[in-house]
Amino acid sequence: MKIGIIGGGSIGLLTASLLVKQGCAVTIYVRREEQKARINQNGILLLPDDTYFINAKLTSELNNEDIFIITTKQYQLTGLLSTLKKTKAPLLFMQNGMGHIDDIKSIEFNQTILVATCEHGAMKIDDKTVKHTGKGKLNLSLFQGNASLYNDVAKLLAGEDFPINLAPDWYEILAKKLIVNVVINPLTSIFRVKNGSLTENPHIEAIAKQTCMEASSVLGLDPEEEWANVRRVIRLTKNNESSMYLDTKRNRETEIEAISGYLLNHANGEVPFIQFAYHAIKSIERLERRDLVDD
Amino acid sequence: MKIGIIGGGSIGLLTASLLVKQGCAVTIYVRREEQKARINQNGILLLPDDTYFINAKLTSELNNEDIFIITTKQYQLTGLLSTLKKTKAPLLFMQNGMGHIDDIKSIEFNQTILVATCEHGAMKIDDKTVKHTGKGKLNLSLFQGNASLYNDVAKLLAGEDFPINLAPDWYEILAKKLIVNVVINPLTSIFRVKNGSLTENPHIEAIAKQTCMEASSVLGLDPEEEWANVRRVIRLTKNNESSMYLDTKRNRETEIEAISGYLLNHANGEVPFIQFAYHAIKSIERLERRDLVDD
């Protein structure tokens, strides 16, 4: 079964090398010619010292594959989805947030669609080098389509380095992860702190908890249960800098639209803390770019 | 008429030197022996090159004065107010925010009380040096007591360098200034920007406007009128760094309690944007101190 992985970011590189390691046939699709060339020449280096030779192509050169695993950011899906619809292959989406769910629904795919939340920690060092910073599992769920295909894919992907958890309810795993993300990502970026500070500092914790309450209410989950889950993830990742914090530090576009933006779009009542943080991140994105121009 | 100025910060030093310049008899009261000694030895230097010799004493050595002008921060009033009650002298309070109004009410003063908002810009360079960064006026109002005494004080203080505006409604001048402060001070500190960015960046502006709406509602003023006023002040001070931004930069205690804290205490409905910013500043105060300890 030929696997196409779309996206050459940290999760794309990590997934590609872990699947090759356990014997899968993998092609990785990237946006830039330069990254394609480097991977084809040197393979992917999974630190400290495992190199995996993997066929790399441009996203514009999509082959027939038996399944596509889409690891790009949600804001990079535009344009890609209609191409994927034409392939008729099953698709596995691994984006943060839930913005991609709206995107997927708007396309009306006919093929089997899986979604997953990824608990692996990964850091991209350069175009062909990735560090596996935290072992986790992939929570895999059927969004629509063929249930036996879903089981086949799970068996195909599962391995010692790539454990799979079959999650019966796609909405629940994405919603729970979204709540974690809407608390941790914007707040660590605004306050420029590691994850652990969110509960070590009682004033940030007050903001974090209120944000969790608002998000749980939008998504219809139990606020206290989700707050316990958010606190657990904060404890487990207390020494990490969140992906959004790293993005704002490095003046890169953030995933704020897929995370806070999704909740603002789907809120029926008032969600002022999510709204404040949303505007704060959007303004930081603009300020950082202004700084770049000024420099 | 002997004037006692309490507080050796930027506004205390500026007020003392401007009043001495126009011939008033002034004693300045400060907290630290070191500042007292420096002022007694060298006078106050009003940059670029005017030196005014002024009698300095410690706040613990309060003399009889014909009026006290209190220029300390609101959070430094504790303990001072009961001493001032005993002097029976008229008192003029020049604090930011409205936290001092609650403090004054709790003491039940018998003497004449004036309050003022100060439009002068001042920057303290060192214990005896101050820079007059923006000429403005003092909006002076009677809070309680003798109206003819109020007029006498206004005449005494008024001068070319110290213009006085007699404001008939003390609540209105303090409330309008408080709205300006609750927008400009916390938001410039959170986003680490000069005042002008609050309206140049549309996402910070959305937060600023919503904050102004909440504050106007708590204080019973017209939201659109106050937003126009806040925008006007932001334009006039666009190149300035707010006092709270400077305080957070320098790891000093901020005036957040007198500003946002006052509004949280007096709100009947929900004021989530003010609440978010309040917790944000309180957490920054703690984070900065932690950084100091870590270094």
Side-chain angles (χ1 to χ4, degrees), chain A:
Chain A
M1 202 167 176
K2 292 181 301 168
I3 303 175
I5 292 178
I6 302 180
S10 58
I11 294 295
L13 293 174
L14 178 73
T15 305
S17 38
L18 293 181
L19 292 180
V20 168
K21 184 177 177 185
Q22 58 199 44
C24 299
V26 174
T27 301
I28 187 164
Y29 294 91
V30 299
R31 277 182 307 161
R32 285 174 300 107
E33 188 70 61
E34 190 192 347
Q35 186 176 19
K36 169 185 164 182
R38 291 202 68 187
I39 294 174
N40 281 328
Q41 204 161 359
N42 307 297
I44 295 175
L45 172 60
L46 177 62
L47 291 176
D49 52 13
D50 292 339
T51 295
Y52 299 99
F53 288 94
I54 296 181
N55 184 22
K57 292 183 174 286
L58 291 182
T59 312
S60 54
E61 306 169 325
L62 279 198
N63 266 6
N64 282 333
E65 304 282 355
D66 297 314
I67 178 170
F68 286 101
I69 302 180
I70 300 102
T71 70
T72 62
K73 307 276 188 186
Q74 180 259 338
Y75 56 78
Q76 293 165 335
L77 291 177
T78 324
L80 184 60
L81 293 186
S82 44
T83 309
L84 287 171
K85 179 175 181 172
K86 290 183 203 135
T87 69
K88 296 177 186 154
L91 306 174
L92 162 54
F93 288 92
M94 288 176 56
Q95 284 60 43
N96 266 326
M98 289 178 73
H100 60 300
I101 297 297
D102 288 345
D103 298 334
I104 292 168
K105 286 182 177 169
S106 74
I107 292 285
E108 298 179 5
F109 284 100
N110 299 310
Q111 58 253 64
T112 294
I113 305 273
L114 310 176
V115 292
T117 60
C118 175
E119 295 181 358
H120 289 279
M123 187 184 289
K124 179 177 172 176
I125 308 296
D126 63 31
D127 269 353
K128 59 156 196 51
T129 310
V130 65
K131 190 175 171 189
H132 196 173
T133 54
K135 292 207 175 188
K137 57 185 190 300
L138 198 73
N139 298 298
L140 187 69
S141 196
L142 181 65
F143 178 79
Q144 69 173 39
N146 187 330
S148 76
L149 184 60
Y150 162 52
N151 285 309
D152 293 347
V153 169
K155 273 181 218 149
L156 171 75
L157 299 180
E160 196 190 330
D161 291 305
F162 207 77
I164 300 276
N165 168 43
L166 292 179
D169 183 347
W170 68 265
Y171 182 84
E172 192 184 357
I173 57 166
L174 291 189
K176 285 181 93 73
K177 180 89 185 285
L178 176 55
I179 293 174
V180 169
N181 281 335
V182 80
V183 174
I184 294 180
N185 276 299
L187 300 185
T188 52
S189 312
I190 294 169
F191 295 110
R192 311 183 197 196
V193 293
K194 292 184 176 175
N195 295 1
S197 291
L198 298 184
T199 50
E200 284 156 16
N201 181 310
H203 288 285
I204 306 187
E205 189 179 19
I207 297 176
K209 187 170 183 185
Q210 182 58 28
T211 304
C212 176
M213 299 293 123
E214 291 180 1
S216 304
S217 151
V218 174
L219 296 167
L221 299 184
D222 177 69
E224 290 303 330
E225 198 175 301
E226 297 315 311
W227 177 236
N229 186 46
V230 170
R231 286 181 57 89
R232 186 185 60 84
V233 176
I234 289 172
R235 263 197 312 278
L236 288 173
T237 61
K238 65 180 179 185
N239 294 317
N240 293 7
E241 295 185 333
S242 77
S243 60
M244 193 176 285
Y245 180 29
L246 291 174
D247 285 341
T248 53
K249 265 190 181 177
R250 294 170 188 168
N251 306 315
R252 292 188 305 216
E253 187 169 359
T254 72
E255 296 185 277
I256 191 71
E257 292 294 349
I259 297 172
S260 309
Y262 178 88
L263 289 167
L264 290 179
N265 286 337
H266 289 261
N268 283 316
E270 300 275 299
V271 287
F273 274 51
I274 294 173
Q275 198 179 14
F276 190 117
Y278 171 83
H279 284 302
I281 297 299
K282 297 291 278 187
S283 69
I284 290 168
E285 285 185 343
R286 286 178 70 108
L287 289 169
E288 301 302 331
R289 291 204 196 125
R290 181 205 61 186
D291 290 348
L292 280 183
V293 172
D294 286 354
D295 280 353

